[in-house]
Amino acid sequence: MTANDSLAGRLDPATTVLLTVECQRGVVGEESALPELAGAARSSGALDRIAALVDAAHAAGVQVVHAVAERRPDGRGANTNARLFRAAGRLPVQQLTGTRAVEVADPITVAAEDLVVRRLHGLSPMTGTDLDPLLRNLGCRTLVVTGVSANVAIPNTVFDAVNLGYTVVVPSDAIAGVPADYTPQVLRNSLALVATIATTEEVLGCWKA
């Protein structure tokens, strides 16, 4: 069995879910609260590759889930127990419920059959949200994780998913973080220990086949 055969076995459309993490206008869009991160996601091509993966997933019958981070205008329920949260609360662009900032960013398409999981707290779309039970109800065994950031949300998502028993695949060129050279370090030294690291083209090849 070749490596591609092994990857294809993990990416069976019937038991695979593609997850986009924080690929929202207020994070990776032109009106981002974090322009450096948005710039990295766009200049690296990661955002375009995520869009290509979403399109291929739709065509192959792979369920797509978009994980969005947001907060209420009054801040109720939001974390304040780390510097990251306190800094985010002072940014000029806020990820407020119901605003453009929490819409999935172009060029990613959201189909009628896609699910959107929103969270008001924490660092991971998996902990304390509907994501895990939704994945189980969908029959998910393999979770393909894409999005931002390689600094915080992506590692949290991968570790949480592995702890919950999912097989995780990370397309290495469909995630982004800052500085740009930090992303390959996280992939090599942390995520590769617990997840299958592939490229977007390899994943696309499995679904197109």
Side-chain angles (χ1 to χ4, degrees):
M1 178 180 292
T2 68
N4 282 344
D5 290 335
S6 178
L7 181 63
R10 292 185 179 94
L11 293 175
D12 179 359
T15 56
T16 298
V17 170
L18 173 65
L19 179 68
T20 74
V21 178
E22 296 183 24
C23 292
Q24 57 204 74
R25 294 181 187 273
V27 176
V28 297
E30 293 180 359
E31 59 268 54
S32 173
L34 303 164
E36 187 178 2
L37 178 58
R42 291 180 175 276
S43 65
S44 67
L47 197 59
D48 288 332
R49 293 186 191 97
I50 295 166
L53 286 165
V54 168
D55 290 344
H58 290 154
V62 175
Q63 178 67 53
V64 177
V65 180
H66 306 280
V68 173
E70 58 185 50
R71 59 185 286 134
R72 288 166 49 109
D74 60 11
R76 288 182 182 271
N79 288 65
T80 58
N81 59 331
R83 186 175 70 177
L84 175 66
F85 301 122
R86 295 190 292 272
R90 297 191 296 268
L91 292 173
V93 176
Q94 293 291 302
Q95 314 300 317
L96 299 181
T97 301
T99 66
R100 278 177 51 85
V102 297
E103 295 175 358
V104 175
D106 295 333
I108 299 169
T109 58
V110 181
E113 63 269 22
D114 292 1
L115 298 176
V116 179
V117 176
R118 303 181 182 278
R119 78 177 195 274
L120 293 171
H121 64 86
L123 299 170
S124 167
M126 188 73 75
T127 300
T129 72
D130 292 335
L131 183 55
D132 179 38
L134 288 175
L135 293 176
R136 295 189 187 281
N137 289 345
L138 291 165
C140 176
R141 297 179 63 184
T142 298
L143 188 64
V144 180
V145 177
T146 67
V148 296
S149 70
N151 306 74
V152 179
I154 296 300
N156 268 264
T157 305
V158 172
F159 295 143
D160 286 349
V162 171
N163 284 331
L164 289 167
Y166 297 99
T167 295
V168 178
V169 174
V170 180
S172 59
D173 50 359
I175 66 171
V178 290
D181 60 2
Y182 181 66
T183 299
Q185 295 181 37
V186 171
L187 286 161
R188 181 174 59 253
N189 297 313
S190 295
L191 301 187
L193 302 177
V194 296
T196 298
I197 308 301
T199 66
T200 294
E201 282 303 315
E202 287 171 335
V203 176
L204 292 175
C206 292
W207 288 342
K208 289 175 182 176

